[in-house]
Amino acid sequence: MIALVLLLAAPLTQARPPILCQRSRIPTRFHVHTSQRHISRVARLRQRAGHGDLAGKFDKSSFVQNDMRKAAMKLHTRDQAKEGEQKTQKPISQWEMSMSSILRFLVDSKVIHDTLDDIAASYSELSTLNDVSTEIRRGRNIEKDITQILHENPELNRPEPGKDALGYAESLRSLAGESVPAFVCHFYNTHFAHAAGGRMIGKLIADKNFNGRTLEFYKYNGEPKELLEDVRKEIDVLATNWDEEGRENCLSETANAFKGAGTVLQNLK
């Protein structure tokens, strides 16, 4: 999971590959089919999905655990995964993590997470994903941390969101209008990375700056693995309605999802 965090912190240098085709805001081909055959398939997917680690108990039919995982593993470093193709990054233990940098990190993180939530709530085909994602939303938790830090450090002012975070948020809105599957890639990978490797960063922040006190950003109302499993299952259901092009749009966004989310981590270096 540390490899995932380090990749997220890499500079956003790779240009976004073009989406295979333009789409309207609510693409008709993503509408849920209501045939009995589809309903039965959805029911089987939900029933078979189990609980395990953060990726859930392995399900060979899972788009997330097979296709999306393979795309993500290629972005790990070679010394941490046999599928890895990336160079080793600077250890997170050497990051600066000053109080002011943590504040910038939180402000930028709130921009990204609020944007993810807003988009998920804006598209009809993502209504169920939006519902099952309630417990993993981070916006309110981040705001609590920002308020607390400013209260404890009156010499600090709330910074404006960084241009990279604002740019990434705007690109997410544009991307969702072009391809909902592509947006889903960003949605899942951002939440998974935070609940997995991101919590290691949270521990370092707590130990270095807050006498071991964990920020609200890293606290969940329940086990993250179970909360993420509900999200994973719903994405698998969504993927049953995507054609090959939609699935490819999702997978091709993996590197951009990691690098986009990594824009906020640059604040901590």
Side-chain angles (χ1 to χ4, degrees), residues 21-195:
C21 69
Q22 298 293 315
R23 294 169 174 80
S24 61
R25 182 168 177 78
I26 305 294
T28 56
R29 67 187 182 84
F30 295 127
H31 288 174
V32 177
H33 302 296
T34 56
S35 67
Q36 185 61 45
R37 179 179 179 182
H38 171 74
I39 294 173
S40 297
R41 186 179 185 187
V42 170
R44 290 197 301 271
L45 278 169
R46 293 187 188 279
Q47 291 170 356
R48 287 204 304 264
H51 294 262
D53 60 18
L54 282 171
K57 183 178 179 180
F58 184 73
D59 180 352
K60 64 180 180 180
S61 68
S62 170
F63 176 71
V64 174
Q65 293 177 326
N66 286 279
D67 303 77
M68 290 183 69
R69 178 187 179 278
K70 288 177 182 178
M73 290 303 293
K74 291 180 180 179
L75 299 174
H76 282 64
T77 56
R78 288 184 291 272
D79 61 329
Q80 292 174 321
K82 64 180 181 180
E83 305 101 318
E85 299 176 0
Q86 306 301 310
K87 295 180 180 179
T88 301
Q89 303 291 327
K90 179 180 179 181
I92 59 177
S93 60
Q94 297 179 18
W95 292 4
E96 177 187 359
M97 296 188 184
S98 65
M99 195 64 71
S100 60
S101 69
I102 292 170
L103 193 57
R104 292 194 302 272
F105 163 69
L106 291 171
V107 168
D108 283 359
S109 294
K110 189 172 189 302
V111 170
I112 303 305
H113 281 274
D114 283 351
T115 301
L116 291 172
D117 294 342
D118 289 346
I119 295 173
S122 299
Y123 286 76
S124 60
E125 62 267 41
L126 297 179
S127 59
T128 303
L129 178 63
N130 184 53
D131 290 341
V132 300
S133 300
T134 300
E135 295 297 336
I136 65 171
R137 292 173 188 163
R138 301 289 86 200
R140 290 184 180 179
N141 290 49
I142 297 172
E143 186 60 36
K144 290 179 182 178
D145 289 328
I146 294 172
T147 300
Q148 184 70 15
I149 290 174
L150 291 174
H151 175 74
E152 295 174 349
N153 301 272
E155 74 280 5
L156 297 178
N157 294 316
R158 182 172 184 141
E160 293 294 324
K163 63 179 182 180
D164 288 339
L166 291 173
Y168 179 47
E170 182 59 32
S171 73
L172 285 174
R173 296 186 187 280
S174 298
L175 183 66
E178 299 171 0
S179 170
V180 167
F183 165 75
V184 168
C185 176
H186 289 255
F187 184 91
Y188 181 77
N189 278 300
T190 298
H191 280 295
F192 183 89
H194 180 73

